[in-house]
Amino acid sequence: MSDCDCRPPLQLGIDVLRIGSLAKTIRHDRFLRHLYAPEELAHAESLGDRRREEFLHGRFAAKEAIAKVLGIGLLGDAPPHEIAVLRNAKGEPEPVLRGRAAHCAAVADIAGLTLSISHTRELAAAAAAGWRTACDCGDRGLVNALSEGILARGSAMT
């Protein structure tokens, strides 16, 4: 491991949101367009009322978790619709950063993101992780040690 005092190579963010806490906000098209990417809104429109509410709350929690990974304020540094949470071919949530959000990730040297979203009837929660390519000082030792540890665990699982 490295003995530098830089930020950790793995940044974590988590957010929990009570379902219904955005009820007034998501009734207004102007706010919806500010909070969500067009693809997210299109998917939300295909859902029934209850599932739509869960979906929008889960996506907002995901945006908050990602903003924490990036070290930014969601409503100040990058508009929420620039942090899109789409679905990959397996149906898993996939963060897509655009505009200022992508710029903030580059400045923070975040090379990749992963995300998990969960909800119940009452709560939506999201956890995000982002990894750097190097420590602030340029030392790759800590990043390499982390990668080796992940690879070793992965090979031990098979």
Side-chain angles (χ1 to χ4, degrees):
M1 294 293 262
S2 172
D3 54 4
C4 74
D5 292 325
C6 296
R7 295 177 293 175
L10 184 66
Q11 293 293 114
L12 301 175
I14 187 167
D15 194 65
V16 179
L17 191 63
R18 183 168 305 283
I19 301 287
S21 61
L22 298 173
K24 289 180 182 177
T25 303
I26 62 177
R27 285 190 210 131
H28 302 283
D29 286 341
R30 185 173 139 240
F31 290 121
L32 280 173
R33 286 191 310 274
H34 180 69
L35 296 177
Y36 301 97
E39 301 94 330
E40 293 169 313
L41 291 174
H43 184 74
E45 289 302 315
S46 73
L47 305 171
D49 289 343
R50 179 69 186 161
R51 180 65 187 108
R52 178 179 182 269
E53 184 177 37
E54 291 170 354
F55 174 84
L56 292 174
H57 281 76
R59 288 311 194 259
F60 190 81
K63 293 166 187 282
E64 286 279 8
I66 292 167
K68 291 172 183 171
V69 167
L70 301 179
I72 64 173
L74 185 60
L75 300 175
D77 297 310
H81 65 268
E82 291 185 351
I83 300 173
V85 181
L86 308 180
R87 292 169 18 155
N88 66 19
K90 295 179 184 177
E92 301 164 338
E94 184 171 304
V96 176
L97 305 180
R98 299 172 175 148
R100 285 181 280 175
H103 174 75
C104 290
V107 168
D109 196 29
I110 299 294
L113 288 166
T114 189
L115 177 66
S116 180
I117 305 171
S118 185
H119 58 79
T120 66
R121 288 189 168 277
E122 296 84 26
L123 298 172
W131 53 94
R132 290 185 164 64
T133 55
C135 293
D136 293 340
C137 67
D139 181 2
R140 293 198 43 84
L142 190 57
V143 176
N144 289 340
L146 177 68
S147 298
E148 289 170 11
I150 291 170
L151 291 173
R153 252 185 296 153
S155 64
M157 296 170 81
T158 58

